[in-house]
Amino acid sequence: MARLVMKFGGTSVANVERIRNVARHVKREIEAGHQVAVVVSAMSGKTNELVAWCRETAVLHDAREYDAIVASGEQVTSGLLAIALQEMGIPARSWQGWQLPISTDDAHGSARILDVNGEEIVRRFENGNEVAVIAGFQGINLPSGRITTLGRGGSDTSAVAVAAGIKADRCDIYTDVDGVYTTDPRIVPKARRLDKVAFEEMLEMASLGAKVLQVRSVELAMVHKVRTFVRSSFTDPDAPELRVNGDPPGTLICDEEEIVESEVVTGIAFARDEAQVSIRHVPDKPGIAAGVFVPLAEANINVDMIVQNISAEGFTDITFTVPTADFERAKAALADAQDSIGFKTIEGATDVVKISIIGIGMRSHAGVAAKAFKALSERGINIRAISTSEIKISVLIDAAYTELAVRTLHSVYGLDA
Ligand code: ADP
Ligand code: ASP
Ligand code: MG
């Protein structure tokens, strides 16, 4: 007997028929003798609809009411799945975040989980093996008593936190792809499924645009040592031939040490939600970087890639990226500081994409970046900015070249299936 958390994303619970299919996946595990807590997302498209309703009612709205509204999508699917399981003769009940509770801080819209109280669901596992169907994405801030949500894609984080909270043997994240691939399989049909990905690599992939797992879920899995798999809910739950050692195929997110043979590059990710800002003709003197970036920090704007040109005649240009959602605010904050910084013009572009090459093997291999730059230049793709860390290289290019660049890099690093 094992204790499992099974998480099902929006497309997996998109309608009643798919919810029944999810119930069959849960039934398989119950029949194998396991204890199961399920975490569900809202039906696909539902959260977007709820967010749009908030914005339509008031562009600037109370973040606590936003959470009360957008948390409702998961309330519906958790109840529906409990009913579908009961219909199959499996004892089940739904749990909202506030009922367990899953307690969070008060950062409405992107709250962090502080604690998951799993005592009651564990008691019910031991008393009749009742399945706990938990609404993902939501929690409660106990001091204020208000419902909170965890940020888009947050049900992954709910699942890993519940797994840590009930000391589950593993957390299976079921989605519409059967694992983590070398890049988004919707963009590159030759993408390959990875058997295992190291936590550090998955963290980079998720934060650099691979939305298959929310970044915080990977952080939590790493800290609490939760064995987390990504699997597909679209396989036939009752087909034994579709299983590997009794389980559906998938990708394990694990410690680096568990990976025997690793390639230099593990994957390619891309993110379209960054914008480029360039300020031209800035006097090149000590304190100039602070002059530019302090006003942005004060406006709570995250700066990512930064390039400063070599100065000519005492002046330089500085280019950096900010989240597209903060683009206008960033330009406004800089315009306010124009006299004190002393630059001439601000330019910007939102039709850009950040492409990243990720792999822990880069720590010990030279020439990885050069290979990317050469391949992109051979396709006539201009690089606007570059940033690197120990295990990743990111380049900013025109969005029109996204697919070409991702496919090119995918084959250059030998990742094609
Ligand atoms: P869910 O609704 O189940 O949470 P998401 O849409 O959030 O699912 O995440 C799954 C999607 O992530 C896939 O459909 C795929 O297009 C995308 N994706 C991006 N990069 C990758 C990758 N490297 N491996 C697998 N899927 C990826
Ligand atoms: N329903 C939420 C969203 O769409 C949470 C999730 O699906 O993980 O962001
Ligand atoms: Mg998701």
Side-chain angles (χ1 to χ4, degrees), residues 154-370:
S155 297
D156 299 327
T157 303
S158 308
V160 175
V162 167
I166 64 170
K167 300 196 168 48
D169 297 288
R170 66 171 207 254
C171 179
D172 287 340
I173 308 276
Y174 284 85
T175 181
D176 54 3
V177 284
D178 61 357
V180 177
Y181 279 69
T182 46
T183 192
D184 190 337
R186 293 184 201 290
I187 296 283
V188 181
K190 288 182 186 162
R192 262 189 300 122
R193 190 181 68 216
L194 298 158
D195 286 337
K196 292 179 180 177
V197 186
F199 285 122
E200 288 84 353
E201 289 173 329
M202 194 64 234
L203 266 181
E204 292 282 8
M205 284 172 73
S207 52
L208 295 168
K211 72 167 189 165
V212 59
L213 289 176
Q214 200 200 31
V215 181
R216 283 184 193 166
S217 71
V218 186
E219 285 168 358
L220 275 188
M222 187 159 127
V223 170
H224 295 285
K225 302 225 164 296
V226 176
R227 273 184 96 67
T228 303
F229 289 82
V230 175
R231 307 186 195 279
S232 169
S233 71
F234 287 75
T235 53
D236 179 353
D238 303 318
E241 70 277 10
L242 298 178
R243 299 200 214 143
V244 182
N245 301 327
D247 297 316
T251 301
L252 172 66
I253 324 297
C254 60
D255 282 327
E256 205 177 301
E257 290 72 37
E258 274 195 62
I259 301 174
V260 190
E261 252 177 90
S262 79
E263 308 284 338
V264 177
V265 170
T266 305
I268 317 279
F270 55 93
R272 300 180 206 264
D273 55 358
E274 278 189 50
Q276 176 189 335
V277 180
S278 299
I279 48 175
R280 304 252 184 242
H281 208 71
V282 198
D284 194 7
K285 54 181 195 221
I288 200 63
V292 172
F293 295 113
V294 167
L296 296 171
E298 279 170 354
N300 234 331
I301 295 171
N302 269 327
V303 172
D304 180 24
M305 310 171 99
I306 302 176
V307 183
Q308 179 174 345
N309 294 25
I310 298 283
S311 67
E313 289 154 14
F315 290 93
T316 185
D317 296 338
I318 300 179
T319 291
F320 54 88
T321 61
V322 296
T324 309
D326 294 330
F327 181 59
E328 294 301 332
R329 281 202 314 124
K331 286 199 298 185
L334 288 169
D336 284 347
Q338 180 160 13
D339 289 343
S340 61
I341 306 170
F343 63 88
K344 227 179 211 169
T345 54
I346 308 181
E347 290 164 22
T350 51
D351 53 349
V352 291
V353 64
K354 181 174 70 177
I355 313 244
S356 305
I357 304 151
I358 298 135
I360 41 183
M362 275 185 214
R363 288 190 197 126
S364 49
H365 281 79
V368 181

Side-chain angles (χ1 to χ4, degrees), residues 64-117:
R64 294 161 298 189
E65 301 308 342
Y66 167 96
D67 277 352
I69 295 155
V70 299
S72 66
E74 276 72 9
Q75 176 157 347
V76 173
T77 46
S78 58
L80 287 172
L81 180 58
I83 294 178
L85 287 163
Q86 289 166 5
E87 276 291 292
M88 292 177 181
I90 297 168
R93 72 153 277 185
S94 66
W95 294 91
Q96 305 310 300
W98 60 270
Q99 290 174 314
L100 284 174
I102 294 175
S103 67
T104 75
D105 63 15
D106 62 357
H108 285 277
S110 59
R112 276 182 182 272
I113 295 178
L114 303 174
D115 183 57
V116 174
N117 185 337

Side-chain angles (χ1 to χ4, degrees), residues 51-67 69 325-326 329:
V51 170
W53 285 347
C54 293
R55 295 210 179 114
E56 193 185 326
T57 311
V59 178
L60 286 179
H61 42 253
D62 183 339
R64 294 161 298 189
E65 301 308 342
Y66 167 96
D67 277 352
I69 295 155
D326 294 330
R329 281 202 314 124

